[in-house]
Amino acid sequence: MTAAEPLLTADGLCKSYGSTPALDGADFSIRPGEVVAVMGPSGSGKSTLLHCLAGIVVPDAGTITYRGDELSAMNDARRSALRRSDFGFVFQFGQLVPELTCAENVALPLRLGGTSRKEAARAALEWLRRLEVDDVAAQRPGAISGGQGQRVAVARALVTAPRVLFADEPTGALDSLNGERVMQLLTAAARDTDAAVVLVTHEARVAAYSDREVVVRDGRARDTARAA
Amino acid sequence: MCILTRMSIGHTLLGLLESGPRHGYDLKRAFDERFGHDRPLHYGQVYSTMSRLLKHGLVEVEAIEPGEGPERKRYAITEAGVTDVARWLATPEKPEPYLQSTLYTKVVLALLTRRDAADILDVQRAEHLRLMRDLTERKRTGDLADQLICDHALFHLEADLRWLELTAARLDRLAREVSA
């Protein structure tokens, strides 16, 4: 674990959907280059915590601080800009655009950020190579396997060099061998680029790729690093 | 389930004494009811264990009652004994396959003595994950043989962790049954 200052912290997060509480006083912190597993049973609030930390969902109470700025006080436009420039996302499935090739999918975030077509294509191919799926660059997502698709999704999440990668059950739809390879490549790539990884998982073998774990139960997250 | 395997009988008897003084016979009966379904304790085990606990100041003889046979001693836990039980409950077990018998005993004793059983499960989960991280790293740098050996251990540890999760989810029900 690095001794650097926390990159992203949350204190006392509360969030309810209607009368159903999803988070009830959750704390969290992560440092650059750190991989933190968010664990807990189904319905414990893991994904809500991730969505709050990523600025997708605004908490009802509590504060989220990213590099010294309070995320929870930003307006929608500023949070969206931050998500594009600083955050990357990998979900369980259904994240690639089916009409685009794998290379175009990976290049997409760069193109949306204004990078030239040539430079975006070069970077996309480089990331597909790192994730060992450059052989499917010209294929569409429907023509490749689930394991290959997840690697393409990881490449797309990392192509913008995000400071924080949010991964929500990234191996949930994969078998053991494919899941393992995705985790090896994902954590190695994140460590190479000093990206922090918030890894939501209910699988202990996936969590074993993290530096430490934060357990969410009944909407409460116990982060021992935050308490210290 | 044979729950005597690798279990500390001394700590378990101490934990049972925490709810109030008992005779050796009562202790054996309480132990057998809760934890000794397959292998009840022998009287000799109870009395030799109590002698050892007495010697270490973890229990004391509260009363000696004359009977038709030998005198009956009523044992009470000392403050040092309570501290010893607390330390044992709070110390995670060395992760290894099939240790849930010891964990089950710890969880039940924590509920009986009104300690935080969820904490015991959390501490154990952290210990398991620590070992799983070491094995995962060994896999990353090792050859195929290393990977297969580590995978075997990882799958067993994962099964333990699932049991920890399941038990955590059922703690309220277990607490009701234990205190019934």
Side-chain angles (χ1 to χ4, degrees):
Chain A
M1 197 188 303
T2 169
E5 283 298 301
L7 185 63
L8 179 66
T9 61
D11 288 288
L13 293 187
C14 295
K15 176 69 187 175
S16 293
Y17 295 105
S19 59
T20 310
L23 289 179
D24 183 21
D27 300 332
F28 183 86
S29 75
I30 193 165
R31 298 167 195 277
E34 199 179 16
V35 181
V36 177
V38 179
M39 303 183 74
S42 297
S44 58
K46 301 188 296 287
S47 291
T48 303
L49 175 61
L50 180 140
H51 291 150
C52 286
L53 291 171
I56 298 168
V57 166
V58 179
D60 300 330
T63 55
I64 301 166
T65 310
Y66 174 69
R67 300 182 78 205
D69 290 331
E70 199 177 318
L71 197 72
S72 26
M74 292 178 191
N75 61 28
D76 283 351
R78 196 154 162 233
R79 276 204 317 277
S80 294
L82 190 67
R83 280 202 298 275
R84 278 198 303 276
S85 62
D86 286 35
F87 296 168
F89 296 89
V90 179
F91 299 106
Q92 190 169 343
F93 38 53
Q95 48 202 318
L96 298 176
V97 182
E99 292 80 9
L100 301 180
T101 65
C102 291
E104 287 166 344
N105 262 285
V106 177
L108 187 62
L110 292 175
R111 294 287 292 139
L112 292 174
T115 304
S116 72
R117 185 181 299 275
K118 191 176 167 190
E119 173 55 22
R122 189 206 59 77
L125 199 60
E126 166 61 23
W127 272 100
L128 286 170
R129 202 171 288 132
R130 283 178 85 160
L131 273 295
E132 301 174 349
V133 277
D134 46 318
D135 54 329
V136 299
Q139 298 192 44
R140 290 200 163 76
I144 61 176
S145 72
Q148 289 170 323
Q150 253 343 47
R151 295 190 207 183
V152 174
V154 172
R156 191 178 66 175
L158 289 170
V159 74
T160 54
R163 290 178 194 272
V164 188
L165 177 68
F166 294 94
D168 194 351
E169 304 281 7
T171 63
L174 304 179
D175 62 34
S176 287
L177 269 181
N178 269 302
E180 205 154 288
R181 195 67 193 133
V182 165
M183 283 312 300
Q184 284 167 354
L185 294 167
L186 186 155
T187 48
R191 289 203 164 101
D192 284 352
T193 56
D194 213 24
V197 180
V198 181
L199 171 66
V200 168
T201 182
H202 68 279
E203 290 181 81
R205 299 184 79 230
V206 173
Y209 283 89
S210 67
D211 297 310
R212 63 184 174 87
E213 73 280 4
V214 169
V215 178
V216 186
R217 183 168 291 134
D218 297 331
R220 291 195 181 87
R222 296 173 62 168
D223 185 343
T224 46
R226 185 79 192 118
Chain B
M1 174 174 56
C2 173
I3 60 171
L4 272 169
T5 317
R6 298 191 194 90
M7 192 172 72
S8 166
I9 293 172
H11 285 118
T12 309
L13 294 181
L14 269 181
L16 289 171
L17 269 183
E18 217 184 304
S19 55
R22 293 173 194 251
H23 294 105
Y25 174 76
D26 291 337
L27 266 178
K28 173 191 155 37
R29 204 175 51 188
F31 183 100
D32 289 349
E33 273 175 16
R34 301 251 181 224
F35 311 116
H37 303 296
D38 296 342
R39 290 175 58 185
L41 277 186
H42 299 297
Y43 284 110
Q45 278 177 295
V46 177
Y47 292 112
S48 63
T49 305
M50 296 317 289
S51 297
R52 184 169 50 83
L53 297 176
L54 262 174
K55 193 173 133 195
H56 290 103
L58 302 176
V59 298
E60 59 193 6
V61 176
E62 194 198 54
I64 299 179
E65 294 162 9
E68 287 181 5
E71 289 173 332
R72 297 175 67 201
K73 289 176 183 168
R74 198 163 71 192
Y75 298 98
I77 193 167
T78 62
E79 270 188 41
V82 173
T83 306
D84 201 51
V85 173
R87 194 182 305 126
W88 180 62
L89 290 176
T91 306
E93 297 297 318
K94 184 171 174 286
E96 56 183 318
Y98 317 126
L99 63 64
Q100 59 268 41
S101 51
T102 310
L103 286 179
Y104 171 76
T105 304
K106 282 190 170 184
V107 167
V108 170
L109 279 178
L111 293 171
L112 282 171
T113 54
R114 303 199 181 287
R115 289 184 171 91
D116 192 340
D119 259 0
I120 290 175
L121 296 171
D122 280 346
V123 168
Q124 192 65 52
R125 182 203 354 257
E127 190 71 10
H128 266 61
L129 274 172
R130 206 178 346 264
L131 180 57
M132 289 182 79
R133 280 192 188 99
D134 291 347
L135 291 166
T136 301
E137 180 58 20
R138 200 177 131 193
K139 262 175 68 176
R140 194 178 66 79
T141 52
D143 58 15
L144 183 60
D146 266 334
Q147 289 172 15
L148 291 172
I149 289 165
C150 291
D151 269 335
H152 185 257
L154 281 164
F155 280 120
H156 279 287
L157 291 165
E158 188 180 34
D160 272 356
L161 274 167
R162 285 186 185 180
W163 182 87
L164 290 170
E165 282 302 328
L166 203 69
T167 306
R170 291 172 170 170
L171 269 185
D172 288 346
R173 192 173 144 200
L174 185 61
R176 281 196 301 275
E177 288 192 8
V178 160
S179 58

